[in-house]
Amino acid sequence: MYRGWGLFIGGAWRAAEDGGAREVIDPATEEILGWIPVASRADLDAALASARQGLETWRRASPWERAAVLRKAADLIRAREQDIGRLMSQETGKPLVQACGETRDAADQFEWYAGETQRIYGQTIEARVPEVRMQIRWEPVGVVAAFSAWNFPALLPSRKIAAALAAGCSIIVKPASEAAGSAMAVVQALADAGCPAGVVNLVTGDSRFISEYLVRSPAVAKISLTGSTAVGRQLLHLAADGIKRVSMELGGHAPVLVFEDADVDHAAEQCARFKYRNAGQVCASPSRFYVHESIYPRFCEQFAAVANSLKVGPGLDPETHMGPLANRRGLENTQRLVADAVERGSRLIAGGGRPAHIAGGKGYYFAPTALADVPDQALIMREEPFGPVAPIAAFATFDEAIAKANSTGYGLASYLFSRSLKTATLASEAIRAGMVGVNELAIASAEMPFGGVGDSGMGREGGPLGIRDYLEAKFVKTRLF
């Protein structure tokens, strides 16, 4: 599957220096899809040297030159949508229509940042005396080391690559080993778009070894991670030693508040469909549902009906609504959380195990699952589920709803449904999160700033704020003689 690809260093694809490789598993069949390189110390040194050289070339390129490459890459990714989508579906198990949608979203990142690179505006400050000039200019921070997760294997690296390149930085990207091919396809599009050698580099292999080696390198000026909160803490410790810039998009456990005046049927259907997108493996996925007691029974009934209507199967099957989980550890974690919730008194109202119609025991399948009357003490109310399980509980008052929404350390996304402008405004202001969707669950796109607070990280990706993390401000004061 990965023939012709591998490590991308110095503008060329290559195998690992010592021949090391690891397998990639199809989550729908548990069969081997292919092999990717395991980068050695020598490979990482080569990538660092390449990125340093690429930085010197790229930082001198004009915004118009950078924009042209990014726009061409966007066009190529769109033109290759079906091929990239099929590859992604095989790697992750997600339905082909979702994989193709993600590919388009990845292209949008490059198109958006093609515009942003032309909008890096400095500032002139009026001096106190006429013979002095003062200005602020923005310069690229330097070489970026970027680490992305497997759940959106084209979009997540694209957010980082596009922003870094728009700012004039070079980058070494390390995609997740479970789904490296999607990132390789994005890098191939950049190469074909005329991106100079060394500006974009890609390495695969042992995540811990690669991340520690790159973060410790004095050549790297900035780290960007999309991953778990635990990994984020580790990289922050390493980054502190080198006083490096960081942006972290970490875990989430998004609350959904459905108030008594909401359109309950609409809210239930939208919540269920978004919850099971990508088998619930979305950091911003709605994952804790708190519903006003007056509409609680109706919400649970409608939510369960949608969950039970979704067809589970291989991602390449055009009738599939939800594919398998991406790996075995995700499946085992989902089983653990459901068992704990039921043991603590939760009611199973949809799913709960492997779909009956999936033949054989192969594939990391788990039915869309909904739990009602879930107590606050259940693990699923405190741990990020990252699977197709929806815990639902009732609340009685506004203050109780806000307290439940803010009961974890996470603060990435949050959602609420209400027809009342007052309720929606006060709730959106009281919820502790980087993003709030009001009667809306689609809150991620290239023009929107994406990121969280607390255990969900720092910094923003996308939107007018996304490029700032890749730029340094320089103040220049000139006295005229």
Side-chain angles (χ1 to χ4, degrees), residues 14 21 31 46 56 60 66 70 92 108 122 128 137 149 152 159 239 251 253 281 284 340 369-370 392 428 436 466 478:
R14 49 181 269 190
E31 296 177 355
E56 295 310 309
R60 291 193 296 268
R66 298 199 296 265
L70 294 174
T92 66
D108 287 349
R128 301 186 183 194
R137 57 177 284 122
F152 287 94
R159 281 177 176 164
H253 202 350
Q281 300 165 122
D340 172 80
T369 298
I392 310 172
S428 65
V436 181
T478 303

Side-chain angles (χ1 to χ4, degrees), residues 114-453:
E116 286 299 280
T117 193
Q118 297 170 319
R119 293 191 288 267
I120 302 175
Y121 302 131
Q123 185 177 0
T124 298
I125 302 171
E126 292 299 324
R128 301 186 183 194
V129 293
E131 64 270 20
V132 169
R133 302 290 184 270
M134 297 188 295
Q135 69 174 140
I136 298 170
R137 57 177 284 122
W138 294 96
E139 297 182 348
V141 67
V143 175
V144 176
F147 309 95
S148 62
W150 44 261
N151 55 326
F152 287 94
L155 175 60
L156 298 182
S158 293
R159 281 177 176 164
K160 303 174 192 306
I161 297 170
L165 268 57
C169 299
S170 62
I171 190 169
I172 304 171
V173 60
K174 194 279 176 189
S177 295
E178 291 97 331
S182 301
M184 292 174 183
V186 169
V187 169
Q188 183 68 65
L190 282 161
D192 294 342
C195 189
V199 176
V200 177
N201 304 272
L202 181 146
V203 295
T204 56
D206 184 278
S207 296
R208 187 178 186 89
F209 166 68
I210 292 173
S211 61
E212 289 188 2
Y213 197 85
L214 294 182
V215 173
R216 291 185 189 279
S217 171
V220 171
K222 174 184 164 54
I223 297 98
S224 178
L225 167 71
T226 299
S228 70
T229 300
V231 173
R233 287 194 178 99
Q234 294 169 4
L235 292 192
L236 280 169
H237 280 291
L238 291 173
D241 290 337
I243 315 179
K244 299 177 189 289
R245 292 276 296 277
V246 298
S247 55
M248 299 272 163
E249 196 266 281
L250 307 178
H253 202 350
V256 181
L257 306 182
V258 185
F259 291 96
E260 62 268 37
D261 61 351
D263 181 336
V264 61
D265 290 345
H266 171 76
E269 179 166 353
Q270 292 302 305
C271 285
R273 295 197 182 281
F274 268 80
K275 171 60 200 175
Y276 301 117
R277 184 172 63 99
N278 201 26
Q281 300 165 122
V282 184
C283 56
S285 175
S287 57
R288 292 178 289 141
F289 300 86
Y290 300 111
V291 184
H292 191 269
E293 58 188 11
S294 65
I295 58 173
Y296 180 74
R298 178 64 177 174
F299 181 92
C300 290
E301 177 186 354
Q302 290 295 100
F303 194 105
V306 174
N308 287 324
S309 72
L310 300 178
K311 181 179 178 181
V312 179
L316 294 179
D317 183 340
E319 296 185 1
T320 291
H321 298 119
M322 191 186 90
L325 281 89
N327 49 58
R328 181 170 294 281
R329 65 182 181 276
L331 175 61
E332 292 173 348
N333 186 58
T334 299
Q335 294 168 334
R336 178 181 66 90
L337 293 176
V338 171
D340 172 80
V342 171
E343 184 178 336
R344 294 177 187 268
S346 304
R347 289 189 296 118
L348 195 62
I349 58 175
R354 186 179 178 86
H357 69 276
I358 301 292
K362 294 291 186 179
Y364 309 130
Y365 291 101
F366 200 86
T369 298
L371 297 159
D373 306 338
V374 182
D376 293 338
Q377 297 75 24
L379 293 177
I380 198 169
M381 287 302 202
R382 293 181 279 126
E383 299 180 11
E384 182 180 21
F386 227 62
V389 183
I392 310 172
F395 69 85
T397 67
F398 179 90
D399 289 343
E400 180 188 1
I402 298 301
K404 288 180 180 294
N406 293 336
S407 63
T408 75
Y410 295 110
L412 184 59
S414 59
Y415 309 93
L416 66 93
F417 288 83
S418 173
R419 288 190 175 101
S420 166
L421 177 61
K422 178 180 179 180
T423 298
T425 300
L426 293 177
S428 65
E429 293 173 349
I431 293 172
R432 187 179 63 249
M435 302 176 287
V436 181
V438 179
N439 298 318
E440 175 64 77
L441 292 162
I443 61 170
S445 64
E447 68 274 20
M448 302 180 193
F450 191 95
V453 300

